[in-house]
Amino acid sequence: MSVLEGTRIIEMSAIGPVPHAGMILADMGAEVVVVDRLRDKGQLRNAEIQRRGKKSIALDLKKPEDIDSLLSLIEKCDVLIEGFRPGVMERLGVGPEICLERNPRLVYGRMTGWGQEGPLSHAAGHDINYIALTGVLDAVGEKGRRPIPPLNLVGDFGGGSMLLVSGVLAALIRSMKTGQGQVVDAAMTDGSAQLMSIIHSLDAMGMWSTERGANMLDGGAHFYNTYQTKDGKYVAIGPIEPKFYQVLIQHLGLNPGEYDDYLDRKKWPQLKSRLESVFKTRTREEWSDLLEGTDACFAPVLDYKEAPRHHHNAARGTYLEIDGIDQPAPSPRFSLTPSSIAHPPRKIGEDTGDVIKSWLDI
């Protein structure tokens, strides 16, 4: 039995954080049904990892009869998640007011970039825009150079789907206790701002600067950085604490006296230059043989194709291969109710008849 077994979730077809949130919930055992477009029926999107473990129904939401079918399913579900611009679900006739009237215990999860209200709420945008507005993007990049997008991990996923999942699960707990559902307004701007809380704390303590690449965690410090190796690859070190820093210095065979006062920001450029020379004396594999598993806070910088093969990830089963596609295994891990992947992605609309029959007892 999985932790969310018996939970029914409707996921309105979308991109980015909504399908990622749905995947996490499906991995936890929820029955997640994606409402896809009828015109896409029959397509197999087996490369879309975020569709794993979900069922698919195909509806034409411009037809009143299909809206009626969707509302009938909503009456039987516990959670609905959607990622349209504000007002779209209302115009379709399946906004939260109507859905909660039909199903008072429903948790109605809404995922947007800017939020359900505010001056920008109806504007188009993507991850890069949302993290730009919350101070995240400005903080990422090399000193004196332009900001660098940290993939789309901060807005879409860290500040998006993870926020949606936590909000939906919290509301679901309350719904189960009280029978009262509610709307969860998850915005990527809000979530990105949440992720910056540590930076605001460091700033308040006088330990952070708005200058990019000049701080301890943004590439400014020599002891929290990446270094190129002899073979042109990279390693990452992060011994922030003094005892871990000393372990690194000892394993590198360096004179501790030359690396004292390592928190003195004025010394960082010089010490970084020295470490650059040191790390170029060996290959990434050689450094891994020497430092991996020690308290030097070391790891080789792997690409996403190498990561599944690393012995630590392999031992933990961090990645799985399904239909020849490497993908992350379900997480987090539960001791009593383990998560699993029910099946690979389905064809669009493959489950329409079965879902309607089983949910509506037809």
Side-chain angles (χ1 to χ4, degrees), residues 52-254:
R52 72 188 190 192
K54 304 175 184 178
K55 297 177 180 179
S56 171
I57 64 173
L59 299 175
D60 184 350
L61 298 184
K62 294 181 180 180
K63 293 183 177 180
E65 58 268 30
D66 281 12
I67 290 293
D68 288 341
S69 295
L70 177 56
L71 284 170
S72 296
L73 293 174
I74 289 171
E75 289 181 6
K76 302 293 185 178
C77 78
D78 303 291
V79 176
L80 179 147
I81 55 176
E82 60 95 3
F84 294 115
R85 292 198 208 188
V88 172
M89 289 289 282
E90 285 84 349
R91 290 195 293 274
L92 288 172
V94 285
E97 185 175 345
I98 291 174
C99 291
L100 283 164
E101 184 178 343
R102 299 279 288 261
N103 182 356
R105 62 183 178 81
L106 177 70
V107 173
Y108 197 108
R110 316 198 79 172
M111 183 79 257
T112 59
W114 310 108
Q116 292 298 314
E117 68 278 324
L120 298 176
S121 60
H122 286 80
H126 281 295
D127 181 295
I128 192 170
N129 309 118
Y130 311 136
I131 67 173
L133 201 70
T134 53
V136 176
L137 184 58
D138 183 73
V140 181
E142 295 180 349
K143 187 174 183 177
R145 305 191 69 177
R146 62 188 176 87
I148 298 295
L151 305 182
N152 64 326
L153 303 180
V154 178
D156 278 350
F157 304 119
S161 55
M162 296 300 186
L163 189 72
L164 179 61
V165 167
S166 61
V168 161
L169 292 179
L172 184 59
I173 291 171
R174 186 178 189 278
S175 174
M176 292 171 66
K177 289 181 177 180
T178 66
Q180 183 179 20
Q182 61 183 304
V183 176
V184 178
D185 175 3
M188 288 176 243
T189 47
D190 296 347
S192 299
Q194 287 273 6
L195 295 176
M196 286 290 283
S197 59
I198 181 62
I199 305 304
H200 288 281
S201 294
L202 292 171
D203 177 67
M205 293 185 283
M207 297 173 61
W208 199 268
S209 163
T210 55
E211 183 182 5
R212 215 167 14 259
N215 301 284
M216 182 172 67
L217 303 176
D218 66 356
H222 64 289
F223 55 86
Y224 198 91
N225 223 307
T226 59
Y227 291 94
Q228 191 174 43
T229 56
K230 186 178 181 179
D231 54 351
K233 298 179 181 180
Y234 289 85
V235 295
I237 59 169
I240 297 173
E241 298 82 356
K243 62 179 180 180
F244 299 150
Y245 182 75
Q246 290 303 319
V247 171
L248 175 69
I249 298 304
Q250 291 169 10
H251 276 76
L252 294 182
L254 302 175

Side-chain angles (χ1 to χ4, degrees), residues 290-303:
L290 178 66
L291 295 171
E292 210 171 38
T294 73
D295 281 350
C297 302
F298 166 92
V301 177
L302 307 177
D303 66 36

Side-chain angles (χ1 to χ4, degrees), residues 284 302-310 313 319 324-326:
R284 186 183 70 180
L302 307 177
D303 66 36
Y304 67 91
K305 289 183 177 292
E306 294 175 306
R309 320 300 171 212
H310 187 273
N313 293 333
Y319 293 88
I325 299 173
D326 286 327

Side-chain angles (χ1 to χ4, degrees), residues 7-13 22-23 26 29-36 50-58 342-359:
T7 304
R8 287 176 168 176
I9 298 176
I10 289 177
E11 174 192 317
M12 304 300 293
S13 182
M23 181 193 76
E31 182 181 2
V32 179
V33 174
V34 182
V35 179
D36 284 306
Q50 294 176 351
R51 294 183 70 94
R52 72 188 190 192
K54 304 175 184 178
K55 297 177 180 179
S56 171
I57 64 173
H343 49 75
R346 306 274 232 209
K347 289 183 180 179
I348 290 179
E350 182 176 348
D351 306 291
T352 305
D354 290 342
V355 168
I356 290 175
K357 182 177 179 180
S358 62
W359 283 34

Side-chain angles (χ1 to χ4, degrees), residues 297-344:
C297 302
F298 166 92
V301 177
L302 307 177
D303 66 36
Y304 67 91
K305 289 183 177 292
E306 294 175 306
R309 320 300 171 212
H310 187 273
H311 62 90
H312 178 79
N313 293 333
R316 277 187 59 81
T318 302
Y319 293 88
L320 300 173
E321 182 181 316
I322 299 177
D323 289 347
I325 299 173
D326 286 327
Q327 53 197 278
S331 65
R333 305 178 187 210
F334 299 91
S335 62
L336 296 179
T337 53
S339 299
S340 63
I341 300 171
H343 49 75

